[in-house]
Amino acid sequence: MPTIHYPRPHFSSAQAAAFAGELFGIYGTVSELPGERDLNFRLDAEGGSYVLKIANREENRANLELQHAALAHLAQREPALGLQRVVPAPSGETIVTVEDAQGHSHLARVLTFLPGKLWAQSRPHSETLLHSLGEVLGSLDRGLADFDHPAAHRILKWDLVQAGWIGGYLHYLAGEPRRGLVERCLNDFEQRVQPALAGLRHGVIYNDANDHNLLVAGEAVTGAIDFGDLCHTVVVAEPAVAAAYAAMGLRDPLAGICQLVAGYHAAFPLRESELDVLHALICLRLSVSVTNSAFQKTVEPGNEYLTISEQPAWDLLAKLAAVPSGLATYAYRAACGYPAHANSPRLHAWLVGHAAGLGRVVEPELMSAPLIPADWSVSSTELGTPDEMADVAATTARLWQGMRAAGAVAAIGAYNEARPVYRSDAFRQPGNDRDGWRTVHLGLDIFLEPGSAVYAPLDGVVHSFANNDTPYDYGPCIVLEHSVADDQGAIQFFTLYGHLSNESLAGLAKGQAIRRGDRLGDIGNFP
């Protein structure tokens, strides 16, 4: 069981000034800095600024030597990173012993002071800043990739691999809804994620990119301080820990995390297997944080630093736990440049290989029928002015007129086309830098006469159906679920059929079997 509470040392600023002068030869003004388990003081001297760190009496010297060794290693491997440097005493020692009034021994050391604004004091947390944070952490872990130290293999409450300790502390969480939320995250970790951890990359990571350990200038992260949580663990824990803090307060935390993940991946590529567990590890870190805060309040109620992120952590945990884990994983994969779904290349290959066996979707058959494009893109000359564009009936009438003039049986609206027509608040997406509206068309339009038949091109079952009657939405819509197989096993996927007639939904049932060639319904009136 890891140590959960660290009793901080008790030394005054005057004592700290005396230690700095007598032991390290540094004389200047002293001011206390916050910390969880160490007592930290800023020293402003004529030759510069420093940090005096006095460890709690239970701290192992090897843990401090680990931090110093990692900083020295990174100074060689990643010299551009903004990191502290160890300042030795005149004796050459980097760690000295001091005693408190009770005669307890504490280990003390001095590091250079890094100037800058803390992440917690910086606003806004833009997409550019989040990407920069990811790059810095990726560079840091890249530098540590060939580093190891015996003390890094330790029992530590902040190591996500060891997070099961919170199970014995859940009774400190007030209220069943909150306790239940943490229990679900812990159960998901223990049942689904933990068995997969052995197959992931392990290494020494920084492990503490919280908002009081990161320095910011403009829209860039310039440094990281406090290497006290260094440990040998799964590498993907690094972006998970960072995301658990960086996404606090964001209107769209998933989008913000994607920026962080993209930055990290650019510096130190993440593997697909790591992205599969990332979202669960982010939720787990938040669960550890809130559980730790709940317990620490009972032990040291006057130390506000121990609970400084408690409420934002609860808010973020509730938001992220509500995101389907599959959706989050798809977003992280896409942010790293992987196919959003791991099976999409397999499905594409299957569809290409079985094209001859796919059934028709509409009648008449379109492969040889005369067609025209329906250009609704942002550069279209067909949509007219914004006012004309808003008149859907008139726009549609012009489309039918063009089809008849060309002798076409159908008009085709392109997939993935950027369109200016999604103007209502139904398509507004709250963003972190600013609000945005959906612009990309997510389907393939086939404009045919109302009443034209729509068919299932593959065997499947009815997954869902509804009338989505928001302007520019799908209207009456049916979603089918399909399963096919290749040499790697089954592939599940869905097909969607929108803008149907209201009558097409009559008599449908969820799970209803649909065979290739079955008539799903009819095309409805548009608009």
Side-chain angles (χ1 to χ4, degrees), residues 19 23-24 61 93 95-99 104-109:
F19 293 149
L23 300 174
F24 290 91
R61 176 182 287 266
E93 294 179 282
I95 303 173
V96 301
T97 302
V98 298
E99 287 191 356
H104 297 132
S105 295
H106 297 266
L107 301 176
R109 58 215 172 96

Side-chain angles (χ1 to χ4, degrees), residues 55-221:
N56 70 85
R57 66 176 184 264
E58 297 177 3
E59 186 66 88
N60 190 321
R61 176 182 287 266
N63 293 337
L64 305 184
E65 292 172 344
L66 162 65
Q67 297 176 43
H68 292 183
L71 287 170
H73 185 86
L74 286 166
Q76 295 294 320
R77 292 289 190 272
E78 297 287 339
L81 287 174
L83 302 175
Q84 294 172 288
R85 301 289 182 255
V86 179
V87 179
S91 65
E93 294 179 282
T94 57
I95 303 173
V96 301
T97 302
V98 298
E99 287 191 356
D100 62 19
Q102 289 73 42
H104 297 132
S105 295
H106 297 266
L107 301 176
R109 58 215 172 96
V110 171
L111 303 174
T112 55
F113 178 83
L114 292 183
K117 183 185 293 185
L118 292 175
W119 181 283
Q121 301 166 341
S122 175
R123 293 290 186 278
H125 295 158
S126 67
E127 292 185 353
T128 301
L129 182 60
L130 290 160
H131 194 279
S132 171
L133 171 57
E135 285 186 290
V136 167
L137 294 175
S139 299
L140 200 159
D141 288 347
R142 182 179 63 206
L144 291 173
D146 62 344
F147 173 80
D148 204 356
H149 191 282
H153 302 260
R154 56 177 170 151
I155 298 174
L156 181 68
K157 70 175 180 178
W158 295 116
D159 178 6
L160 287 180
V161 172
Q162 305 174 43
W165 69 264
I166 68 174
Y169 287 77
L170 297 183
H171 59 281
Y172 287 98
L173 299 173
E176 175 54 35
R178 285 185 165 184
R179 191 181 307 117
L181 177 57
V182 172
E183 284 178 336
R184 289 193 295 276
C185 293
L186 180 59
N187 288 339
D188 181 48
F189 168 71
E190 292 179 337
Q191 296 172 16
R192 182 178 65 88
V193 177
Q194 197 167 38
L197 297 184
L200 303 183
R201 280 186 302 175
H202 285 65
V204 177
I205 66 170
Y206 170 54
N207 198 42
D208 199 14
N210 73 61
D211 45 358
H212 289 266
N213 283 347
L214 301 170
L215 300 172
V216 173
E219 290 198 300
V221 172

Side-chain angles (χ1 to χ4, degrees), residues 2 29 35 75 88 135 157 192 246 307 333 430 446 456:
T29 58
E135 285 186 290
K157 70 175 180 178
R192 182 178 65 88
T307 59
R333 288 177 57 90
I446 303 173

Side-chain angles (χ1 to χ4, degrees), residues 296-342:
Q296 299 291 0
K297 282 192 295 188
T298 68
V299 180
E300 214 175 325
N303 189 347
E304 294 182 359
Y305 181 79
L306 298 177
T307 59
I308 195 168
S309 299
E310 184 178 20
Q311 188 55 51
W314 277 117
D315 294 342
L316 179 59
L317 180 58
K319 284 184 178 180
L320 292 184
V323 177
S325 61
L327 175 61
T329 300
Y330 305 153
Y332 304 150
R333 288 177 57 90
C336 294
Y338 294 115
H341 196 291

